[in-house]
Amino acid sequence: MTGGTDGLRVPTPKLLGVVTGEHEDKIEFLSHGYYHYVLVVFILCVALMWLIVHSPFGKALQAIRDNETRARFVGIQIRRYRLVAFLVSGVFTGIAGALWVPLNGLTTPDILYWPFSGEIVFMAVLGGFRNFTGPIVGAVVFNYLKTYAVGFTVYWQALLGLVLVVLVVVLPTGIVGTAKLLAAAARRRSAQ
Amino acid sequence: MNLLETKELSKSFGETHAVDKVDFQIQEGEVLSLIGSNGAGKTSMVNLISGLLHPDSGRIVFRGQDITTLPVHGRIKAGIARSFQIVNLFDELTLHDNVALSIFSRRGMTRRLFTLADRHHEVWDEALEILRQFGWRRSARSWPASSRRVSASCSTWRSPTHSSRSSFSSTSPPAG
């Protein structure tokens, strides 16, 4: 039923019953019709996420992240808010997974192992998880890095791990965080 | 009726009796200072009343309601607020955000996921008014939160008529 270790083969999907890949080349469909479909869902999700981050609930989550004790004394029920945050995260991750599987064409137990989840964490750290755009920038840069690393060496995971260690030490706020710090420093210098 | 009352409140850490059968009452409008040397148990006492610690025995009564077993958010809902000995704020939020978040919480608005916080002008205006009461004259929108004055401002969020509320902080007297 699940295909065991071979996993499940996922057929080319029909999109909203309108855009269909049935009568065209699969590669053509995935790189055009499906690509634009994913892009639209991505934009909608980013807009929704932006709203949540800038909502009173989002402010409460930032408060919990910054200072849990203080947040408790502001009247925020930490566990309940974390549970909701976990659910929200699960919804977006579920959507991402559902979009990714048709592209891969196959889903296997391998993707349940930690390295796949680790890649998502890597993207967030790389871009800067304290900035809204950080993980988006991180995802783009990570995919470029991975593509080049895979072509460069068979030990590409070790190479990416090394990059991650260097990042945490040198750029703890990620690419976007560092860019913002540099921009703020430049503004201060020009104001003096 | 006493505003706040403790009855034989006790808390021990191993062999150390930090709070030992303490009884005290505060009336509405009264200001009470708890003074003692380092390690005397002032902070433990404040932690017990605010709910950060649970007592080994004894009771805490606020406005006639037994709050001994209430969680922190329940005590805050009842009207208790506290500030901390070491300035304790959300460092990455602005000064204005820090105070506004307290107001959002009081109004039960922090549960809202699909509304922009910035749209609630009444909350931001109230936050600004509280900050003005504490002497913040300029716009506090972009200021980082990093002072005890901000901490005190945040503890005032509970109510516009905060004289009827209790606010706690524990600070050791200067040495010598």
Side-chain angles (χ1 to χ4, degrees):
Chain A
M1 193 173 149
T2 61
T5 51
D6 290 342
L8 286 170
R9 187 168 292 280
V10 181
T12 309
K14 285 181 183 177
L15 304 178
L16 307 171
V18 180
V19 186
T20 171
E22 276 184 349
H23 304 297
E24 60 180 312
D25 176 56
K26 188 175 179 179
I27 302 293
E28 187 72 12
F29 166 71
L30 288 176
S31 57
H32 290 95
Y34 192 68
Y35 168 79
H36 289 106
Y37 174 76
V38 171
L39 190 63
V40 168
V41 175
F42 167 73
I43 290 168
L44 289 175
C45 286
V46 168
L48 187 62
M49 215 181 287
W50 188 87
L51 180 64
I52 293 172
V53 166
H54 292 87
S55 69
F57 175 78
K59 295 264 181 206
L61 287 186
Q62 287 173 54
I64 293 170
R65 180 196 66 192
D66 284 359
N67 191 333
E68 194 177 315
T69 306
R70 175 80 211 170
R72 285 176 73 190
F73 283 96
V74 166
I76 296 167
Q77 297 179 52
I78 311 282
R79 278 190 191 177
R80 188 174 292 185
Y81 279 64
R82 280 199 173 137
L83 177 66
V84 176
F86 189 70
L87 290 174
V88 170
S89 167
V91 167
F92 286 116
T93 312
I95 293 171
L99 291 172
W100 177 81
V101 167
L103 195 64
N104 204 43
L106 183 72
T107 177
T108 64
D110 287 350
I111 61 167
L112 291 173
Y113 296 148
W114 69 268
F116 194 75
S117 306
E119 286 187 4
I120 314 294
V121 176
F122 193 141
M123 291 172 195
V125 173
L126 182 62
F129 55 85
R130 284 176 181 259
N131 292 284
F132 182 76
T133 51
I136 300 171
V137 172
V140 173
V141 174
F142 174 81
N143 278 301
Y144 273 103
L145 271 179
K146 188 178 170 183
T147 305
Y148 284 107
V150 168
F152 184 69
T153 171
V154 288
Y155 303 109
W156 61 272
Q157 283 172 317
L159 185 64
L160 286 180
L162 192 67
V163 171
L164 183 65
V165 171
V166 171
L167 267 173
V168 170
V169 175
V170 181
L171 307 175
T173 54
I175 296 169
V176 176
T178 307
K180 281 190 172 175
L181 285 176
L182 291 175
R187 272 199 303 275
R188 274 198 301 275
R189 266 200 303 274
S190 63
Q192 283 171 357
Chain B
M1 184 174 66
N2 294 318
L3 179 67
L4 178 68
E5 190 176 359
T6 64
K7 293 174 181 172
E8 299 206 330
L9 200 62
S10 300
K11 179 70 184 177
S12 298
F13 301 99
E15 296 294 309
T16 309
H17 302 297
V19 178
D20 193 11
K21 294 182 179 171
V22 174
D23 290 297
F24 80 87
Q25 296 89 35
I26 307 175
Q27 305 297 319
E28 192 139 349
E30 188 182 347
V31 176
L32 182 80
S33 295
L34 204 56
I35 298 170
S37 57
N38 281 337
K42 308 178 296 295
T43 305
S44 297
M45 184 73 188
V46 172
N47 284 343
L48 287 171
I49 293 169
S50 59
L52 204 57
L53 289 176
H54 296 290
D56 296 332
S57 62
R59 289 172 61 213
I60 306 163
V61 179
F62 183 72
R63 291 177 172 273
Q65 179 195 0
D66 190 332
I67 60 163
T68 316
T69 56
L70 272 187
V72 171
H73 65 86
R75 296 177 196 217
I76 286 170
K77 212 169 184 178
I80 291 180
R82 76 167 286 183
S83 62
F84 289 83
Q85 186 169 346
I86 297 165
V87 175
N88 203 342
L89 294 161
F90 309 118
D91 292 337
E92 295 210 7
L93 298 183
T94 65
L95 176 55
H96 203 180
D97 280 341
N98 262 273
V99 182
L101 185 65
S102 301
I103 300 168
F104 276 123
S105 177
R106 184 193 74 203
R107 295 186 179 201
M109 291 163 76
T110 47
R111 292 185 216 111
R112 296 185 186 176
L113 273 81
F114 304 112
T115 169
L116 282 176
D118 284 352
R119 290 270 170 90
H120 297 282
H121 301 294
E122 72 286 359
V123 171
W124 298 103
D125 290 346
E126 187 183 337
L128 213 53
E129 187 50 42
I130 289 171
L131 287 166
R132 282 200 190 102
Q133 287 173 22
F134 280 82
W136 299 96
R137 294 289 169 212
R138 285 162 46 197
S139 167
R141 276 261 165 184
S142 56
W143 288 1
S146 55
S147 89
R148 175 168 282 282
R149 195 156 44 132
V150 184
S151 186
S153 311
C154 290
S155 297
T156 310
W157 64 275
R158 289 303 317 166
S159 165
T161 56
H162 51 91
S163 59
S164 65
R165 306 283 180 160
S166 297
S167 178
F168 293 99
S169 176
S170 167
T171 308
S172 296

